[in-house]
Amino acid sequence: MVRRNALAILLVLVMGGWLVWAFGASNPKGPDNEELFREADRFIEILRLVQKQYVDDVETKQLFRDAIDGMLGGLDPFSNYIPADELAEFNKATRGKFGGIGIQIGMSKGVLTVISPIEGTPAYRAGVMAGDMIAEIEGKSTDGIRLDEAVKQLTGDAGTKVTITVRHVTGGTETITITRAIIEVPTVKGLRRDENNEWVYMIDEEKKIGYVRVASFVENSVPDLRDAIETMRERGMKAMIMDLRFDPGGILKTAVEMTDLFLEDGVIVKTKGRATPYWEATASEGGTLPFFPMVVLVNQYSASASEIVSGALQDHHRAIIIGERTFGKGSVQNVIPLKGEESALKLTTSKYYLPSGRCIHREEDMTEDEEWGVVPEIVVRMSPQEYVDLIRARQEGEVIHNGVEDGKEPGGTDGDSGTPDDTPKSPETPKTPQPPAPEDLEQDGREGDEEAKEDEPFVDRQLQRALDVLRSIEVVEKYLKAA
C-alpha cells in the first residue's frame, strides 16, 4: 500500500487546498482482463460472505462505499470519492466562498494536525494555530480517523457549532466550541489595516517598498493582486515583498496567471503523468507588470500553488526567495465526473514540474537531503513560537477598530497584544508583526535577561531580511555605476 504523505493539505471547508486541473484523463492500458476478473470474483466472494455471515446487518451500498474509500485511501491522501451531497460544496470551494469553520488539516505521524487556519474565519478567530493537534471532535478521539471523515465531522451548515479539543503547538490543551459560517475570504492582504480600515501596503515609505500577502489561490486572487500592486505603484513603489507564508495553494490556473503578471515569456509550470498528456503553461507579454525588484517569502506551510509561483519566479530569476523550504505538494488532482451520477472521482493523475525541470512533490519516505519543495536562496529559520507570534500579530493587524483607537500614541496596545497604529516611521524597525529562528524557541525563558525579552516588540526576522535585501539593491546599483 502506498503510504500517505505526512502532511496532506485539506480544507475543513471542502475548499480544495490541493491543486485541481480540469483536463480529461486519457484511457491508460488496463490490467490483464483475466487478472481483473479474478480479483473482482474474489471481491464479490468476500462481499457475499460479509452479507451472509457478519454478526450484524450491513448495508450493501455502505460496503461498496467503504471499499471505494479504502482503495483510494491506499493511493495517496489527495485521491478520494466525492459523493453527490458533497460535490456542490467542492465546486464552490474554488470560488473563494465556502461553508465550515475555516481550517486546513493533515496527518502528521498519524495525528490529525492543523496545517493552518484560514484567515478571517471562525477557527482563525477562535485561536486555532498552525501545528495544533486535534485530539477530539465532539468529545470523540481522532485516533485512527481518516482525513475525509474529519472533514465531514468538522463541516456543517452556517450557524451550527462544533467542539474540538486541540493540543497547542506551544503546549497545553484547550477545548474550543466554534460556530460554523459561510465564509468569503479575501485572499490578497496588506501589512495591516489603517484608521480607515483600508489595507496598508507600503512597508517602507522612505525607500518605497511595498508589501502584499496572498493567503490562498482562488478565482479573484489575480485581479485583487493586480489592484493592490497598482495602488502601490500609484504611491511610487520601487520594490515589493510578496508573502506566501502559510499559503496552502488553490487553483492551478490562478497560480499560472499570477506568475504571468511578472514574466514576459518562458515556461511557468509543466505537468506529467502516466496516463495524462504532457501539458505546460507559458508566460505571455500581454499584461505583464513593469519590472521592479521583488522578494517572495515562503515557509514550510507554503504549498501547491504557492510553490508553483515561488518556484517559477526563482527559476526565471525574477524574485529572490527568502524563508524556509516549502511543503512539497506537487501532485495534480483530476476531478472526473462519474457516469449516471452527480458524483465524481478526485484522482491524482500527474505531478507538476517547475521550469528548470524540478519536481517539487515530496513523497513520504523522502529525506531532507533529497530534492523536493522550493529551497530559498536565503534561508531564515523560525521557531514554532515565532510563527505563533506572527499569526497572532497578523490577527491583530486585521482588526477593524472603527476609530476606537483614535487618540492613542503610535504603537499603543490594547490588552496584552500590540497593535501597530501607523506605517513604520523608521525603515530600520518596521512595526508590523514579524518573526525571530527555530532554535530560539528552546532558548526563550532560559537565561537571566528573559524577562526583558518578553517586553521587546515582536520582530518578523524573515520580513526584516527581505527589507534588508531590497534596501541594499539601491546601494549596490550605485556602487556598480560608480565602479
Side-chain angles (χ1 to χ4, degrees), residues 342-405:
E342 294 182 357
S343 58
L345 170 65
K346 182 164 69 70
L347 186 67
T348 300
T349 56
S350 56
K351 294 177 181 177
Y352 65 75
Y353 296 78
L354 295 175
S356 63
R358 291 180 291 162
C359 178
I360 62 177
H361 190 68
R362 181 183 187 180
E363 303 294 346
E364 186 177 357
D365 57 355
M366 281 186 169
T367 66
E368 294 294 327
D369 295 330
E370 295 182 77
E371 185 178 82
W372 54 268
V374 176
V375 180
E377 283 94 351
I378 301 175
V379 175
V380 181
R381 300 191 185 279
M382 304 257 289
S383 71
Q385 183 60 55
E386 287 177 312
Y387 281 131
V388 167
D389 292 341
L390 172 59
I391 292 173
R392 286 176 177 159
R394 284 180 173 183
Q395 291 172 332
E396 290 291 330
E398 292 181 26
V399 172
I400 297 177
H401 296 288
N402 294 319
V404 173
E405 292 195 299

Side-chain angles (χ1 to χ4, degrees), residues 75-245:
L75 298 176
D76 60 54
F78 308 103
S79 298
N80 65 279
Y81 169 69
I82 308 173
D85 60 345
E86 296 178 8
L87 188 57
E89 280 297 314
F90 178 87
N91 290 332
K92 281 192 292 184
T94 58
R95 299 171 191 146
K97 185 176 182 179
F98 1 89
I101 66 172
I103 188 175
Q104 302 152 9
I105 58 173
M107 302 302 294
S108 176
K109 299 180 180 178
V111 178
L112 189 64
T113 303
V114 177
I115 301 299
S116 178
I118 296 176
E119 297 186 33
T121 63
Y124 185 81
R125 293 191 296 269
V128 178
M129 295 286 181
D132 285 355
M133 297 180 182
I134 303 177
E136 295 180 357
I137 302 174
E138 295 293 1
K140 295 182 180 180
S141 172
T142 58
D143 288 348
I145 196 170
R146 285 176 52 92
L147 283 173
D148 56 349
E149 286 301 317
V151 169
K152 290 178 186 177
Q153 293 181 31
L154 289 164
T155 53
D157 295 334
T160 61
K161 297 181 178 181
V162 62
T163 300
I164 61 175
T165 299
V166 297
R167 290 196 294 271
H168 289 298
V169 66
T170 51
T173 300
E174 182 180 9
T175 298
I176 309 170
T177 298
I178 303 174
T179 301
R180 301 180 179 99
I182 298 297
I183 303 161
E184 288 189 59
V185 183
T187 60
V188 176
K189 306 183 180 185
L191 201 59
R192 56 174 179 77
R193 294 189 184 274
D194 63 15
E195 61 276 6
N196 297 316
N197 299 323
E198 299 293 333
W199 284 112
V200 172
Y201 291 112
M202 296 299 287
I203 190 171
D204 187 337
E205 286 284 3
E206 180 183 343
K207 299 296 183 181
K208 297 300 180 183
I209 299 174
Y211 170 92
V212 66
R213 174 158 51 96
V214 181
S216 62
F217 289 75
V218 297
E219 287 180 350
N220 62 341
S221 296
V222 173
D224 288 352
L225 177 61
R226 180 181 284 276
D227 288 346
I229 293 175
E230 291 300 336
T231 297
M232 290 185 280
R233 291 184 62 219
E234 289 173 2
R235 297 190 57 183
M237 182 190 74
K238 296 180 179 179
M240 189 184 81
I241 298 167
M242 184 161 66
D243 195 342
L244 299 181
R245 292 175 296 178

Side-chain angles (χ1 to χ4, degrees), residues 31-46:
D32 179 81
N33 284 339
E34 289 186 10
E35 181 182 357
L36 178 63
F37 290 134
R38 184 167 56 250
E39 295 300 327
D41 287 343
R42 179 180 294 124
F43 176 80
I44 294 299
E45 180 183 5
I46 293 172

Side-chain angles (χ1 to χ4, degrees), residues 452-483:
K453 285 186 179 180
E454 292 180 3
D455 295 331
E456 293 178 2
F458 170 56
V459 176
D460 181 344
R461 292 187 302 108
Q462 291 173 340
L463 180 57
Q464 185 65 55
R465 182 65 65 85
L467 281 168
D468 291 342
V469 167
L470 291 176
R471 288 166 181 157
S472 69
I473 289 176
E474 183 179 0
V475 176
V476 172
E477 287 178 344
K478 289 180 179 179
Y479 175 83
L480 291 176
K481 287 180 181 179

Side-chain angles (χ1 to χ4, degrees), residues 276-473:
T276 55
Y278 171 84
W279 173 88
E280 71 177 28
T282 56
S284 58
E285 187 174 356
T288 303
L289 294 166
F291 178 84
F292 46 79
M294 183 165 62
V295 166
V296 175
L297 294 175
V298 296
N299 67 0
Q300 59 267 47
Y301 300 106
S302 304
S304 196
S306 46
E307 293 178 285
I308 288 178
V309 173
S310 58
L313 294 178
Q314 183 182 57
D315 281 358
H316 285 282
H317 309 291
R318 177 61 185 85
I320 299 170
I321 313 301
I322 294 178
E324 298 194 62
R325 192 180 202 174
T326 59
F327 181 82
K329 198 283 182 182
S331 61
V332 181
Q333 281 67 51
N334 185 17
V335 179
I336 307 168
L338 299 178
K339 294 179 180 179
E341 295 187 49
E342 294 182 357
S343 58
L345 170 65
K346 182 164 69 70
L347 186 67
T348 300
T349 56
S350 56
K351 294 177 181 177
Y352 65 75
Y353 296 78
L354 295 175
S356 63
R358 291 180 291 162
C359 178
I360 62 177
H361 190 68
R362 181 183 187 180
E363 303 294 346
E364 186 177 357
D365 57 355
M366 281 186 169
T367 66
E368 294 294 327
D369 295 330
E370 295 182 77
E371 185 178 82
W372 54 268
V374 176
V375 180
E377 283 94 351
I378 301 175
V379 175
V380 181
R381 300 191 185 279
M382 304 257 289
S383 71
Q385 183 60 55
E386 287 177 312
Y387 281 131
V388 167
D389 292 341
L390 172 59
I391 292 173
R392 286 176 177 159
R394 284 180 173 183
Q395 291 172 332
E396 290 291 330
E398 292 181 26
V399 172
I400 297 177
H401 296 288
N402 294 319
V404 173
E405 292 195 299
D406 289 349
K408 282 192 175 185
E409 293 296 322
T413 62
D414 185 7
D416 294 329
S417 300
T419 303
D421 296 331
D422 208 347
T423 305
K425 291 182 171 54
S426 167
E428 305 305 321
T429 56
K431 290 184 181 177
T432 40
Q434 305 169 20
E439 60 272 21
D440 293 344
L441 182 60
E442 296 180 0
Q443 296 172 0
D444 287 347
R446 283 193 315 188
E447 302 295 340
D449 62 346
E450 298 307 322
E451 290 185 7
K453 285 186 179 180
E454 292 180 3
D455 295 331
E456 293 178 2
F458 170 56
V459 176
D460 181 344
R461 292 187 302 108
Q462 291 173 340
L463 180 57
Q464 185 65 55
R465 182 65 65 85
L467 281 168
D468 291 342
V469 167
L470 291 176
R471 288 166 181 157
S472 69
I473 289 176

